[in-house]
Amino acid sequence: MGYKSIEVRKLAGALGAEIFGADLRADIDNETMDDIHQAFLDHQVIVLRGQTGLSPERQKAFARHFGSFNIHPYVKPMEGHPEILEIIKEPEDKLNFGGGWHSDMSFLEEPALGSVLHAVDVPEWGGDTLFASQTAAYEALSDGMKAMLEPLKGVHSAAREYGAKGLSAQSRKSMQSERAADEVPEYDHPVIRTHPETGRKGLYVNPAFTVRIAGMTSRESKPLLNFLFEHSREERFTCRLRWNAGDVAFWDNRCVWHYALNDYPGQRRHMRRVTINGDRPH
Ligand code: SIN
């Protein structure tokens, strides 16, 4: 693709690219910002290496180019920055945040457009993040399966993660979450979503937040959802991000799943996330 101001190197076949030549710690000109936006649409997850010392203000200023900020309904934010989540795993913590395949905030009526994650402190080994392209997963389905899925809606809820038994609501030393109320809202989103900017179709269900197919029981939905969950994370649709301290990744929650690996026991990992609001999926 023709980028004027940045260099773009692919990370894997289905999605992911590294971006060089943009410094988020300084003001960014319009041409560079347009290139970054285009690379984000082309590659679905981009990583800007070497942004060491990026301030919360600069991280927010970058994210603000793409939309308004999401305030997480359950997780306590960074002190003085309600728009920033501090994703921290201390050496003594067992659980990590985001340690399962999901798309951020799909349990909202208007789920997140994207997330901007800055690596402040990374373990010496492990702590990578996996991504899976849901447009690639959709495109690989048979015409018969695509036609069957087309009219269906998935029911999304935060109950499994943030309800009484949810993993994300359990206490860690490093991060504090509030438990969701007993009546957690549910929202129906199309199983196949059309990306509002690229027009590409992609699957839009995920194991963390999609609890059933609308109009069916959980038991009836399970075989189909389990098939989609397994299909969507096939290796050929994924890329793997090995973090260096200072890196900034920006992924598109409208067409990408991600998974923070929990494979660094006894080490510390500290990230800062700004989540950008999106629109109602169609
Ligand atoms: C998340 O946003 O789900 C966490 C991602 C990560 O820590 O790699």
Side-chain angles (χ1 to χ4, degrees), residues 1-8 16-19 30-46 62 65-66 195 197-200 250 252 254-255:
M1 315 267 169
Y3 304 105
K4 294 197 189 85
S5 315
I6 55 172
E7 190 195 334
V8 177
E18 293 175 296
I19 308 293
N30 290 343
E31 189 176 85
T32 306
M33 195 51 82
D34 287 348
D35 270 357
I36 292 174
H37 187 193
Q38 193 55 52
F40 168 72
L41 295 177
D42 292 341
H43 298 282
Q44 305 184 341
V45 52
I46 54 175
F62 172 69
H65 282 95
F66 303 95
H195 193 289
E197 293 185 84
T198 65
R200 286 177 77 185
F250 178 25
D252 192 333
R254 299 166 296 184
C255 57

Side-chain angles (χ1 to χ4, degrees), residues 138 141 144-156 187-194 201-205 210 212-217 220-225 227-228 281-282:
Y138 168 76
L141 292 172
M145 180 56 98
K146 285 178 185 160
M148 194 193 80
L149 296 175
E150 190 71 48
L152 300 183
K153 294 201 167 188
V155 180
H156 294 242
Y187 294 104
D188 293 355
H189 299 310
V191 169
I192 297 171
R193 173 178 192 177
T194 303
K201 286 185 178 188
L203 287 165
Y204 195 68
V205 289
T210 312
R212 61 183 184 282
I213 301 290
M216 296 186 195
T217 65
E220 288 164 348
S221 310
K222 227 174 196 171
L224 178 57
L225 285 179
F227 163 76
L228 292 174
H282 293 290

Side-chain angles (χ1 to χ4, degrees), residues 9-236:
R9 292 186 210 148
K10 268 172 81 75
L11 280 175
L15 79 169
E18 293 175 296
I19 308 293
F20 298 93
D23 187 348
L24 305 187
R25 296 162 296 186
D27 292 338
I28 301 183
D29 59 70
N30 290 343
E31 189 176 85
T32 306
M33 195 51 82
D34 287 348
D35 270 357
I36 292 174
H37 187 193
Q38 193 55 52
F40 168 72
L41 295 177
D42 292 341
H43 298 282
Q44 305 184 341
V45 52
I46 54 175
V47 54
L48 296 104
R49 302 287 192 190
Q51 311 290 325
T52 308
L54 180 73
S55 66
E57 288 76 15
R58 284 284 183 184
Q59 183 176 355
K60 285 192 272 186
F62 172 69
R64 193 70 189 85
H65 282 95
F66 303 95
S68 59
F69 300 130
N70 170 267
I71 309 287
H72 202 289
Y74 305 117
V75 183
K76 195 168 166 241
M78 181 177 176
E79 187 79 40
H81 295 279
E83 318 83 355
I84 297 187
L85 287 188
E86 296 250 57
I87 300 178
I88 300 175
K89 183 172 179 261
E90 296 292 357
E92 54 272 47
D93 283 329
K94 295 273 180 289
L95 294 176
N96 69 334
F97 180 86
W101 285 113
H102 65 285
S103 167
D104 288 330
M105 320 306 290
S106 82
F107 55 83
L108 297 180
E109 185 171 12
E110 295 187 335
L113 176 155
S115 303
V116 176
L117 190 67
H118 172 47
V120 179
D121 189 10
V122 297
E124 200 184 322
W125 29 257
D128 298 358
T129 307
L130 306 179
F131 296 90
S133 167
Q134 298 307 292
T135 49
Y138 168 76
E139 284 158 14
L141 292 172
S142 66
D143 289 345
M145 180 56 98
K146 285 178 185 160
M148 194 193 80
L149 296 175
E150 190 71 48
L152 300 183
K153 294 201 167 188
V155 180
H156 294 242
S157 157
R160 249 190 231 152
E161 284 295 313
Y162 294 100
K165 293 191 186 135
L167 274 188
S168 299
Q170 288 179 33
S171 65
R172 304 174 190 86
K173 180 169 183 289
S174 45
M175 290 179 72
Q176 287 162 20
S177 312
E178 262 179 46
R179 211 200 271 167
D182 289 343
E183 288 297 309
V184 183
E186 294 186 334
Y187 294 104
D188 293 355
H189 299 310
V191 169
I192 297 171
R193 173 178 192 177
T194 303
H195 193 289
E197 293 185 84
T198 65
R200 286 177 77 185
K201 286 185 178 188
L203 287 165
Y204 195 68
V205 289
N206 69 82
F209 304 126
T210 312
V211 291
R212 61 183 184 282
I213 301 290
M216 296 186 195
T217 65
S218 305
R219 186 165 159 246
E220 288 164 348
S221 310
K222 227 174 196 171
L224 178 57
L225 285 179
N226 283 347
F227 163 76
L228 292 174
F229 295 160
E230 269 179 39
H231 170 80
S232 295
R233 58 166 199 242
E234 277 186 32
E235 215 169 307
R236 60 190 164 138

